[in-house]
Each structure stands twice: as structure tokens, then as C-alpha cells.
Amino acid sequence: TRLPVFDETNPAENNALFRWGNRLHPMTRERVVRRLLLFEEGAAYDARLIQESARLLRAQRFLYDADIRVVSRCAEAVDVEVITRDVWSFAPELSFDRAGGENTFQVGLRDSNFLGGGQLLSLTHKRDTDRDSTRFAFRDRNIAGTRLATRIAAVDSNDGFNHFASLARPFYALDSRRAWSVRLRRGEQEDAQYFRTNEISRVQQRFDDAIVSFGWSRGLRQGHATRWTLGLRHERRELAPLVGVPHPADLPEDRELNYPFLQYERIEDDFSVEHNLDQIYRTEDLHLGSRVFARFGYAPGSWGNGETRLVVDGFARDTLRASGRTLVRHGIEWRGFYNADSGKAEDLVAEYELSYFRRQSTRRAFFVSASAVVTE
């Protein structure tokens, strides 16, 4: 059952403008909804798969809400109804701002459910204090009804470019057993430094990033999904002065890393369905369980610019309290390098955050968060 953007059975939404909007909006196609489900007709009924399928549907930005419910039981047969409601997906963009004597504007078109097929397509032109740029983006999370996902983005500007492309079969569900991905990024741009709104220096940055990875898992076991991933990564960043333009006296050294990495992830199957929490009048899936992600890489100096480094990044999150109207969560994130030749950490950043949420009424809530950041 696919419901339109506006509910014409609701007197508040049954007007000419909203009826016209429903006619103009391409409804999400049935096959797009069906290919996101983790079950199919004729399979054994599994309540957990029903719940996770509903979460996957609600995670799609082109759907306002989704639900899956049992509508009848007869002998050994169970009938379920999949209900989705579309959200308005076509969004023209136009903005203008003037501050400090500089004009900034942006104009573009964006559709997160192109022709009802579930793909994102956008084209934007932007002018700000740093550059003029045109950006194109395309994303399809289920190519031709498969679990393959792709994302393509291209930014061309008056000071360089930034191109990105990826093709992957991700861990799309908690019980997924295999995953792989290929990701490429390349670009160059000019970066400026400012002092009291005045530009004092400008350098050119060039960068490449490529990742190939393969992951495996035993699926969902005893309420947890544990995943392992092996991969190879190439990273290169160069900074160069521009002719006739002031630049910093000491530029950071160029960095090139080529390394294998091992990735670990553990997700607890503990979710809660909430309403009107972070988003107004929206059904939300709140992850109450723990989640840990850690990636470790070893970059030999002979494979790069002559210095051996250890590469680390990751995060750990969990819920301390979730009862009644109160929610307390915390987490830590980290990323950086360890130079084995010099024995020093490089660009190391670690951040801890603690958040407290308490619902005071149907229209009011209290929220506060605190964080601490350590760098080296």
C-alpha cells in the first residue's frame, strides 16, 4: 500500500494545492519498495525480518514513513501488509547572502526519488568567497533491483575539481554475510587562510584516494552482528605554492600512503521505534545497543614517501539509559597516524561526547550535550 505525499482524507490537507501536489509527484514504484524487503512471498514468517525491513524502508529519505504489519493468519499462511508514505522529493534550491562585502549565492535542482525510482539526482551551482563551482551527484542504493549501490559526484570549479565514484555491495542487513566496495576520489583546489576576514595566504592542494575492500560476517549471532573487512588503500595529498600569491612560509610535507587495512565492526541488535524525537512528527528508529567500529592500517615507508606509519580510525557508541522519557548516550571517536620512524603521533584527534535527552511533554523536550576533544 503506497500512500501519497498529502493525505486527502484529512480535511486539513484536502485542498486544491495539495491535491495538485499529489498529482504532480511521481509515486514511488512498487518494485522499489519490494526490493528493499528482507523477505519474500512463500518464505517462513520471521518477526525480526519484518521489523528490520520496516527500518530499512524508514531509512530511505524519499519515504516519510513506513510500516509492516500482519493483517491475517489462516492455517499455515500469514498475510502481511507493507505500507509506505511518500515525501515530497523534488526541491529547487535558491539562496543569496551578503556579508563582509562579499556575495554568496546558490541555485540548483535536487530530486531524491527521481521518477519514483529511488535514485538521487542533483545539479547545483554555487558561488562563495572561495570559489565558483558546479556540482553533479547521482546515487542509487539498489541498482536494477539488486543489492549493489553506486554513488557518483563531480565538482568542477574555477580553481580545480573534485571527482568521486563508488560501487559496492554493502552489509545491507544485520544478517548479511558478504560485502565489497570500490571507491575512487581525485581532485585539486586552492585553499585560503584568513585573518580577521582578510585573506593572507593561498596554496594549491592535490589529493587522491582509492579503496578496495572485501568483508565477511557470520551474520546475526546471539543478538550481535560481527563483521570483518580486509582492504587496500592509497592516499596522497600535496600542497604547493601558487605563483605570485602569498603562501605560508612552512608548508606541510607531501604525504603518500599505500597500505593494507583490517576493519572490525560489531553491532548490537537493539532498536526502538520512536515518534517526534529528533524529527518533527516523524517515526524514527533509535539504536539503543552498542556499536564499535575500528580500522587499523600499516603503511610501509617503501610503499609511500619513505616514512612508515600506522593508521587508525574508528568510534564506539552506546546507550547508558533509555527508560520512559529519558535517554542518555555517549560515544568516542578517534583518527590519526603514528609515525614509526619518529615515534610521534600525527594529526591525532580523539573526541568524547555525552548527551542527555528528556521529553517534558508532547511539545517540549530538554536536550544537553558535552564533548571533549584531544589533539596531537
Side-chain angles (χ1 to χ4, degrees):
T1 302
R2 294 167 297 142
L3 303 178
V5 177
F6 302 105
D7 183 8
E8 297 181 17
T9 64
N10 182 355
E13 298 185 10
N14 187 17
N15 57 59
L17 177 62
F18 289 170
R19 290 194 298 270
W20 177 80
N22 280 341
R23 306 300 183 273
L24 184 65
H25 171 76
M27 184 77 74
T28 301
R29 301 172 188 175
E30 181 178 334
R31 61 176 177 83
V32 175
V33 177
R34 186 181 294 271
R35 69 193 183 193
L36 290 168
L37 304 178
L38 301 177
F39 61 92
E40 57 186 13
E41 296 180 29
Y45 175 79
D46 188 331
R48 189 194 67 79
L49 291 181
I50 297 292
Q51 296 170 0
E52 188 173 3
S53 295
R55 289 201 302 269
L56 290 178
L57 290 173
R58 287 191 290 266
Q60 309 305 312
R61 294 191 176 185
F62 53 82
L63 294 178
Y64 177 80
D65 201 355
D67 191 21
I68 304 177
R69 60 189 181 185
V70 175
V71 293
S72 69
R73 294 185 177 91
C74 183
E76 296 182 355
V78 177
D79 291 340
V80 297
E81 182 182 17
V82 179
I83 307 171
T84 62
R85 181 179 176 182
D86 273 23
V87 69
W88 186 265
S89 59
F90 179 72
E93 300 175 350
L94 179 62
S95 65
F96 175 82
D97 178 65
R98 180 174 177 82
E102 298 287 344
N103 295 329
T104 299
F105 80 89
Q106 177 171 308
V107 59
L109 297 174
R110 175 187 175 92
D111 195 335
S112 60
N113 191 10
F114 185 64
L115 298 179
Q119 297 96 354
L120 178 144
L121 188 65
S122 71
L123 182 64
T124 305
H125 181 75
K126 181 178 181 179
R127 173 181 292 177
D128 56 26
T129 56
D130 290 321
R131 59 184 58 88
D132 294 351
S133 60
T134 301
R135 183 179 189 272
F136 168 81
F138 173 80
R139 184 184 67 211
D140 189 349
R141 293 178 175 175
N142 296 92
I143 303 175
T146 69
R147 297 294 180 178
L148 295 178
T150 186
R151 180 170 172 259
I152 300 171
V155 180
D156 287 313
S157 57
N158 59 348
D159 67 347
F161 65 93
N162 189 341
H163 297 164
F164 175 87
S166 69
L167 180 65
R169 188 182 191 275
F171 289 111
Y172 57 86
L174 290 174
D175 203 40
S176 298
R177 307 302 176 95
R178 296 287 184 271
W180 59 265
S181 70
V182 178
R183 190 178 73 186
L184 303 171
R185 182 188 295 275
R186 188 181 185 189
E188 63 179 48
Q189 65 184 36
E190 295 178 9
D191 293 331
Q193 286 183 310
Y194 293 88
F195 179 73
R196 294 178 180 174
T197 73
N198 295 318
E199 183 178 318
I200 60 174
S201 69
R202 181 175 287 266
V203 297
Q204 186 177 57
Q205 179 185 183
R206 300 184 182 92
F207 53 88
D208 295 320
D209 194 354
I211 298 178
V212 178
S213 65
F214 173 78
W216 69 94
S217 171
R218 297 177 64 189
L220 188 62
R221 299 292 181 94
Q222 298 179 344
H224 292 84
T226 302
R227 299 162 177 172
W228 295 91
T229 301
L230 280 176
L232 292 172
R233 185 169 189 175
H234 162 77
E235 291 183 84
R236 182 179 64 88
R237 291 189 178 273
E238 299 176 351
L239 293 176
L242 295 167
V243 178
V245 177
H247 60 82
D250 296 320
L251 288 176
E253 294 182 0
D254 296 341
R255 175 181 292 167
E256 181 177 355
L257 302 176
N258 298 282
Y259 59 92
F261 64 85
L262 175 64
Q263 183 174 298
Y264 168 83
E265 185 178 17
R266 189 173 190 266
I267 306 174
E268 183 179 1
D269 184 15
D270 185 2
F271 292 84
S272 174
V273 180
E274 302 292 339
H275 186 73
N276 203 27
L277 184 67
D278 288 329
Q279 302 181 38
I280 299 175
Y281 299 120
R282 295 288 294 268
T283 302
E284 305 172 55
D285 294 286
L286 190 63
H287 186 213
L288 300 178
S290 61
R291 183 173 183 179
V292 178
F293 172 91
R295 180 163 48 197
F296 305 91
Y298 176 73
S302 59
W303 290 12
N305 59 355
E307 294 182 310
T308 299
R309 291 181 173 90
L310 301 179
V311 187
V312 296
D313 69 288
F315 62 83
R317 301 174 186 144
D318 200 2
T319 301
L320 296 175
R321 179 179 175 83
S323 61
R325 299 181 175 183
T326 303
L327 178 66
V328 183
R329 293 191 286 184
H330 71 150
I332 185 172
E333 297 185 20
W334 62 88
R335 65 184 183 275
F337 305 90
Y338 176 78
N339 192 315
D341 295 333
S342 65
K344 296 181 180 179
E346 298 175 344
D347 301 338
L348 180 63
V349 180
E351 179 178 5
Y352 174 80
E353 183 175 14
L354 175 68
S355 64
Y356 174 86
F357 175 91
R358 180 171 178 80
R359 192 189 305 275
Q360 297 175 309
S361 68
T362 56
R363 298 196 175 191
R364 189 175 65 253
F366 175 77
F367 175 81
V368 63
S369 66
S371 64
V373 181
V374 177
T375 65
E376 185 174 349

